[in-house]
Amino acid sequence: MGAPAIVAPRTPLAPAFVEVLRGIFGNRLHLGEAMRAQHGASETHFAAVLPDAVVFVHSTEEVVALVKACTAADVPIVAYGAGTSVEGNAVPVRGGVCVDLSEMNKILEINPDDFDCTVQAGVRREELNVALRDIGLFFPIDPGANATLGGMASTRASGTNAVRYGTMREAILSLRIVTPDGRDIRTSRRARKSAAGYDLTRLMIGSEGTLGIITEVTLRLHGIPEQISSAVCSFQSMAGAVDTVVQAIQLGIPLARVEILDDVQMKAVNQHSNLNYPELTTLFFEFHGSEHAVKEQIATVGDLARDNGGGEFHWSNLAEERAKLWKARHQAFYAATAMRKGAIGWPTDVCVPIGRLAECINETKKDLDKASFPAPILGHVGDGNFHVIFVLDPDNPAEQKEAEALNERLVQRALDMDGTCTGEHGIGLGKQDWLVRELGEDGVDMMRTIKKALDPQNLFNPGKIFAD
Amino acid sequence: MGAPAIVAPRTPLAPAFVEVLRGIFGNRLHLGEAMRAQHGASETHFAAVLPDAVVFVHSTEEVVALVKACTAADVPIVAYGAGTSVEGNAVPVRGGVCVDLSEMNKILEINPDDFDCTVQAGVRREELNVALRDIGLFFPIDPGANATLGGMASTRASGTNAVRYGTMREAILSLRIVTPDGRDIRTSRRARKSAAGYDLTRLMIGSEGTLGIITEVTLRLHGIPEQISSAVCSFQSMAGAVDTVVQAIQLGIPLARVEILDDVQMKAVNQHSNLNYPELTTLFFEFHGSEHAVKEQIATVGDLARDNGGGEFHWSNLAEERAKLWKARHQAFYAATAMRKGAIGWPTDVCVPIGRLAECINETKKDLDKASFPAPILGHVGDGNFHVIFVLDPDNPAEQKEAEALNERLVQRALDMDGTCTGEHGIGLGKQDWLVRELGEDGVDMMRTIKKALDPQNLFNPGKIFAD
């Protein structure tokens, strides 16, 4: 099930080409079906498409050699990290070689005085934070899944901390990439800002492996705050919860995290994590700063919550309380799919100007209440970004059709409010039609022109972002 | 004087083409030398090159008509805002039509609930802030000059508030542009974040009018803080001043502004603005937040300054004190050039990882102390970004040569520290060789490939960023 994968007729890999790959990768070249199936599957609702081969790369030089071999043989290349993307972003719809970067997992350098580090693309965000903890630094971008940093760059990921610390767009100082013509390019230096020519770094971020394969990522880091506190508050109405957040932002409260979970999602979280939160619309907060600053933030936000009909404002300075809270939040997707036995989750996301968020969520909620399957809402409310997870029976095509219609109305609603069809998941296979509605044929044509110029053979993750 | 402008042989505009322009623009088409000279001059040290014609546009539709006319006649087009760029970014080195956007100066919409606004490209930042003041919002990016927002987008400008609020890269939500093939494109919607395809917005920001002409800018706004305080502190050593700032950032103090001015610059400021600050390395601070938060920030930074050998820490909550301080800072360029009668100023800038900043400024200062002309240093020290202004006798070619050598050593020093050849001025004409050293031929080639694909006739601000 899932959006139909655009699978072109495929010819098997030529034996001579396979020998070239074997010469480069030896036993890190895999042709067996199990490995190919694992790399062709999507975590969500997209049909699997198997690559013809999988290679595990260990260096940028190997990626260059691979790209040259594929270009010579006219074979597609699709980069693969942790496989946690949700719009079919890494499904190799034209086959070819899947380049798995998960073994390029070295932290290359940490510069504490400069607040930055450089890692190979296969490093995962949780491992990075473990390595940073003892030197008092952290990397804030947190999409929930323990994704690779190369993958997070490719889809312009963000997540729970974006309201304060920005998205991958702001977090990345520089990338090392291999281009479709086999060049090894560093897109920028390590300075925090630069006005030196076209912003190649930002062009690569969010390009989903269609313009270059990211092999190294240089990231901006932050000092671990003196005080970190968390809070939870339930609301009788969605509007009360959203208004609390919008008013806090208007007052300039530097919220570090603020997540909204609707009643359906709270029920799923309670069941999955064995918790007993009220099953109402709920805000999860995190505050960072000096002891006094955090105390002041909590007092102000607590007042706002009360004024907007919030229940008790439970806050805590304890790390264990905080860990419990965010673990529950991070498992929201799995909690949602666990609501029905054998179900699969189809997560979708939109992002709207924050003044329209309450209205957008409210209208969506009304629409979802009529659905014949669970469809919880959760979101990064400080950014205007929220998710719906359609929890579907994979063997029921009627549910699939119903979800498609709900998704269509959701995205159109966001576009009508001058929002975007995806805040942080990327276009992949799932949002291509809406990208055209969002930016017009002319905007998408501009992307196509860039793609054609940089990848004239259309070998880097073909079929993604836009139809070619 | 100045870097030699690359002036290609020019043919006069064809009479039929001039008639087309007259048909579109009527008496807003200017062919007279005075108007052309005004639009061909640089504010700094670059030799003037006159455009063949100047037109004042009033709408995006007129820009489309102009682009179509120029493309048909193979005539270059150079966009012009306030003329405040400093690397010759808008000097029309191949002639053609200068399109002056200063009369596209309407604020189109302000959305207080969404914290954003949309303005025509010719609106200047000070006018925007006047319009925002009464609704409690402000636009933070402040490069000193009262530039147009289109121009600031084109050079990826930043300035005194970037340490807290980011640069134009972070401040812009969306752009309306006219492409070299005459299409009218909006690069994004108004959501705060998006993962929808290639980041056309960021590709346009900093492209200096070579890929598109910006006609409208949608900007992210911020609430005016409850409390704004300023402070001044002098230091016996450059290292003491820089260390104060780096330590404050390490502690997570959310400095809103922090500017460094060396002894030479302070002397110039005192003379120009009739002030009596100590003529020592000086930090100018601004703090934003709640009353308590600002008080706490001032106390902490005051302690750090004392620990690092700073003199008295003068702080104030008074708007007049603050206005005096920032007026003096904003006039730094004019104060510097006023140090010598008839002198011209050549401002240059670099940006390095902040852990290297003290060392970079110190080595630069030693080099500048030997110069035969004044060369003050001032910088956005929280970003690792600083400027040198060479104050030159325009009739003395030896000084020009000496400045070139100092600039060469400055930029190479920054690159050796993994910094950039320009933090906020852009490449224009002045930094083209260093862009190649910074990103390599392959990186610059990637830019050229994008330029050729989007502007195959090379008509949009030709000769800028890289040699073609």
Side-chain angles (χ1 to χ4, degrees):
Chain A
M1 66 171 298
I6 317 146
V7 185
R10 286 160 59 176
T11 44
L13 296 182
F17 173 71
V18 172
E19 284 320 299
V20 171
L21 293 189
R22 203 182 307 279
I24 306 170
F25 297 102
N27 62 7
R28 288 184 279 124
L29 165 67
H30 298 267
L31 301 167
E33 191 163 335
M35 186 65 89
R36 289 163 51 222
Q38 186 201 317
H39 285 79
S42 154
E43 176 141 281
T44 59
H45 60 296
F46 291 93
V49 181
L50 272 54
D52 297 301
V54 176
V55 299
F56 285 79
V57 288
H58 284 175
S59 69
T60 300
E61 291 70 23
E62 284 187 355
V63 176
V64 169
L66 174 68
V67 167
K68 287 185 174 166
C70 286
T71 313
D74 212 36
V75 172
I77 312 175
V78 180
Y80 187 96
T84 53
S85 63
V86 298
E87 287 291 356
N89 317 63
V91 175
V93 288
R94 310 283 163 84
V97 177
C98 172
V99 48
D100 186 315
L101 291 120
S102 64
E103 294 180 2
M104 284 187 69
N105 58 2
K106 286 191 195 66
I107 295 171
L108 299 173
E109 93 184 8
I110 299 174
N111 303 298
D113 293 343
D114 300 328
F115 294 83
D116 69 39
C117 69
T118 298
V119 302
Q120 288 185 318
V123 170
R124 289 172 181 239
R125 65 172 187 85
E126 289 180 6
E127 279 77 83
L128 175 61
N129 274 320
V130 168
L132 293 172
R133 201 159 44 199
D134 287 347
I135 46 175
L137 296 174
F138 79 112
F139 173 68
I141 316 294
D142 167 15
N146 190 16
T148 64
L149 290 153
M152 288 169 65
S154 295
T155 54
R156 206 182 293 129
S158 45
T160 61
N161 278 311
V163 60
R164 166 103 172 229
Y165 297 97
T167 71
M168 288 302 276
R169 188 172 77 191
E170 287 79 33
I172 293 176
L173 293 173
S174 175
L175 295 169
R176 186 172 177 185
I177 58 163
V178 178
T179 61
D181 59 355
R183 302 200 214 193
D184 172 3
I185 291 177
R186 202 174 152 208
T187 58
S188 184
R189 298 294 189 105
R190 285 194 298 115
R192 287 190 174 208
K193 65 185 197 188
S194 172
Y198 302 163
D199 194 340
L200 299 179
T201 310
R202 252 49 59 179
L203 180 62
M204 288 296 143
I205 297 169
S207 66
E208 303 188 18
T210 64
L211 300 178
I213 293 171
I214 295 168
T215 63
E216 294 178 13
V217 188
T218 299
L219 297 161
R220 197 168 161 170
L221 303 174
H222 296 264
I224 294 175
E226 180 189 329
Q227 178 74 54
I228 304 178
S229 298
S230 57
V232 192
C233 188
S234 313
F235 291 79
Q236 293 296 335
S237 80
M238 183 62 77
V242 174
D243 287 348
T244 300
V245 176
V246 172
Q247 290 163 14
I249 291 172
Q250 280 165 340
L251 287 174
I253 311 286
L255 301 168
R257 285 173 157 170
V258 54
E259 297 284 297
I260 200 165
L261 293 83
D262 77 350
D263 53 333
V264 185
Q265 183 66 60
M266 287 307 295
K267 192 173 174 178
V269 162
N270 276 344
Q271 280 171 5
H272 188 72
S273 300
N274 199 20
L275 297 166
N276 56 357
Y277 290 116
E279 291 175 2
L280 296 170
T281 298
T282 304
L283 291 177
F284 286 14
F285 291 96
E286 195 166 279
F287 303 95
H288 293 178
S290 70
E291 201 186 317
H292 277 94
V294 165
K295 205 177 275 177
E296 192 183 18
Q297 290 172 36
I298 289 173
T300 309
V301 176
D303 286 348
L304 292 175
R306 209 170 10 258
D307 292 349
N308 286 293
E312 215 180 326
F313 194 79
H314 293 281
W315 66 271
S316 170
N317 289 340
L318 299 176
E320 312 86 76
E321 277 290 306
R322 206 164 65 235
K324 192 181 84 173
L325 187 74
W326 293 108
K327 191 174 170 207
R329 166 62 188 89
H330 281 151
Q331 295 191 337
F333 178 69
Y334 304 105
T337 51
M339 291 176 88
R340 288 177 84 184
K341 210 175 159 187
I344 58 155
W346 167 352
T348 183
D349 89 308
V350 295
C351 188
V352 296
I354 61 164
R356 306 298 298 272
L357 183 63
E359 184 188 351
C360 193
I361 294 186
N362 265 329
E363 287 182 22
T364 303
K365 182 96 184 111
K366 266 188 241 164
D367 205 19
L368 296 176
D369 282 345
K370 289 174 274 179
S372 61
F373 43 78
I377 291 178
L378 70 165
H380 312 306
V381 62
D383 306 321
N385 180 207
F386 68 97
H387 305 250
V388 174
I389 304 169
F390 303 119
V391 183
L392 304 177
D393 172 356
D395 300 319
N396 184 344
E399 289 193 5
Q400 161 80 15
K401 277 220 156 329
E402 193 182 337
E404 277 168 16
L406 286 164
N407 194 33
E408 158 69 29
R409 288 195 293 276
L410 168 63
V411 179
Q412 189 58 49
R413 191 176 300 125
L415 293 178
D416 290 343
M417 294 178 179
D418 216 1
T420 178
C421 66
T422 172
E424 54 181 17
H425 292 171
I427 298 297
L429 293 170
K431 293 275 175 79
Q432 296 190 2
D433 290 348
W434 288 299
L435 180 65
V436 178
R437 274 193 246 170
E438 181 168 332
L439 297 180
E441 282 290 355
D442 285 338
V444 179
D445 254 7
M446 191 166 188
M447 295 183 192
R448 273 198 198 93
T449 303
I450 294 167
K451 167 73 172 170
K452 272 183 204 152
L454 296 176
D455 182 15
Q457 290 174 261
N458 192 25
L459 296 181
F460 272 37
N461 204 8
K464 302 301 166 58
I465 303 181
F466 35 71
D468 42 23
Chain B
M1 65 172 298
I6 318 146
V7 185
R10 286 160 59 173
T11 43
L13 296 182
F17 173 72
V18 173
E19 283 320 301
V20 171
L21 293 188
R22 203 183 307 278
I24 305 169
F25 297 102
N27 62 9
R28 289 183 279 125
L29 165 69
H30 298 267
L31 301 167
E33 190 163 335
M35 186 64 88
R36 289 163 51 221
Q38 186 202 317
H39 285 79
S42 153
E43 177 143 277
T44 59
H45 61 295
F46 293 91
V49 180
L50 273 52
D52 298 302
V54 176
V55 299
F56 286 80
V57 288
H58 284 176
S59 70
T60 300
E61 291 70 23
E62 284 186 357
V63 176
V64 169
L66 173 67
V67 167
K68 287 186 174 166
C70 287
T71 313
D74 212 37
V75 172
I77 311 175
V78 180
Y80 187 96
T84 53
S85 63
V86 298
E87 287 291 356
N89 317 62
V91 176
V93 288
R94 309 282 163 83
V97 177
C98 172
V99 48
D100 187 314
L101 290 119
S102 64
E103 293 179 1
M104 283 186 70
N105 58 2
K106 286 192 196 65
I107 295 172
L108 299 174
E109 89 183 12
I110 299 174
N111 303 300
D113 293 342
D114 300 328
F115 295 83
D116 69 38
C117 70
T118 298
V119 302
Q120 287 186 318
V123 170
R124 290 173 181 239
R125 65 173 187 86
E126 289 180 6
E127 278 75 83
L128 174 60
N129 274 320
V130 168
L132 293 172
R133 200 159 44 199
D134 288 346
I135 46 174
L137 296 174
F138 79 112
F139 173 69
I141 316 293
D142 166 17
N146 190 17
T148 64
L149 290 154
M152 287 168 65
S154 296
T155 54
R156 207 182 293 129
S158 45
T160 61
N161 277 311
V163 60
R164 167 104 172 227
Y165 297 96
T167 73
M168 288 302 276
R169 188 172 75 190
E170 287 79 32
I172 293 176
L173 293 173
S174 174
L175 294 169
R176 186 174 178 184
I177 59 163
V178 178
T179 61
D181 59 356
R183 300 198 213 194
D184 173 2
I185 291 177
R186 202 173 151 207
T187 58
S188 184
R189 296 295 188 106
R190 285 194 297 116
R192 285 188 175 210
K193 66 183 197 189
S194 172
Y198 303 164
D199 194 341
L200 298 180
T201 310
R202 253 48 61 180
L203 180 62
M204 287 298 144
I205 297 169
S207 67
E208 303 187 20
T210 64
L211 300 178
I213 294 171
I214 296 167
T215 63
E216 294 178 12
V217 188
T218 299
L219 297 162
R220 197 169 160 168
L221 303 174
H222 296 264
I224 295 174
E226 181 188 329
Q227 178 75 54
I228 304 178
S229 298
S230 58
V232 191
C233 187
S234 312
F235 290 80
Q236 293 295 335
S237 79
M238 182 64 75
V242 174
D243 288 347
T244 299
V245 176
V246 172
Q247 290 163 13
I249 291 172
Q250 280 164 341
L251 288 175
I253 311 286
L255 301 166
R257 286 174 157 169
V258 53
E259 297 284 299
I260 200 164
L261 292 84
D262 77 350
D263 54 332
V264 184
Q265 183 66 58
M266 287 306 295
K267 192 171 176 180
V269 162
N270 276 344
Q271 281 172 6
H272 188 73
S273 300
N274 199 20
L275 297 167
N276 56 358
Y277 290 115
E279 291 176 0
L280 296 169
T281 299
T282 303
L283 292 177
F284 286 14
F285 291 95
E286 195 166 280
F287 303 95
H288 293 178
S290 70
E291 201 186 317
H292 278 95
V294 165
K295 205 178 275 179
E296 191 183 17
Q297 291 173 35
I298 288 173
T300 309
V301 176
D303 286 350
L304 292 175
R306 208 168 13 256
D307 293 348
N308 286 293
E312 213 177 328
F313 194 80
H314 294 280
W315 66 271
S316 170
N317 289 339
L318 299 176
E320 313 85 78
E321 276 291 306
R322 206 163 67 235
K324 193 180 85 176
L325 187 74
W326 294 109
K327 191 174 170 203
R329 165 62 189 87
H330 281 150
Q331 296 192 337
F333 178 70
Y334 304 105
T337 52
M339 292 176 87
R340 289 176 84 184
K341 211 176 159 185
I344 59 154
W346 167 352
T348 184
D349 89 309
V350 296
C351 188
V352 296
I354 62 164
R356 307 299 298 272
L357 183 63
E359 183 187 353
C360 192
I361 294 186
N362 265 331
E363 287 183 21
T364 304
K365 182 97 184 111
K366 266 188 239 162
D367 204 21
L368 296 175
D369 282 345
K370 290 174 273 179
S372 61
F373 43 78
I377 290 178
L378 70 164
H380 312 307
V381 62
D383 306 321
N385 180 209
F386 69 97
H387 305 251
V388 175
I389 304 168
F390 303 120
V391 183
L392 304 176
D393 172 355
D395 300 320
N396 185 342
E399 288 192 4
Q400 161 80 16
K401 276 217 155 334
E402 192 182 338
E404 279 167 14
L406 286 165
N407 194 33
E408 159 69 29
R409 289 194 293 276
L410 167 63
V411 179
Q412 190 58 48
R413 191 176 300 125
L415 293 178
D416 290 344
M417 294 179 180
D418 216 0
T420 178
C421 66
T422 172
E424 54 181 18
H425 292 169
I427 298 295
L429 293 169
K431 293 275 174 79
Q432 296 190 1
D433 290 348
W434 287 297
L435 180 64
V436 178
R437 274 193 247 171
E438 181 169 332
L439 297 180
E441 282 290 356
D442 285 338
V444 179
D445 254 7
M446 191 167 189
M447 295 184 194
R448 273 198 198 93
T449 302
I450 295 166
K451 167 73 170 171
K452 271 183 205 153
L454 296 177
D455 182 15
Q457 289 174 265
N458 191 24
L459 296 180
F460 272 35
N461 204 7
K464 301 302 164 57
I465 303 181
F466 35 72
D468 41 22

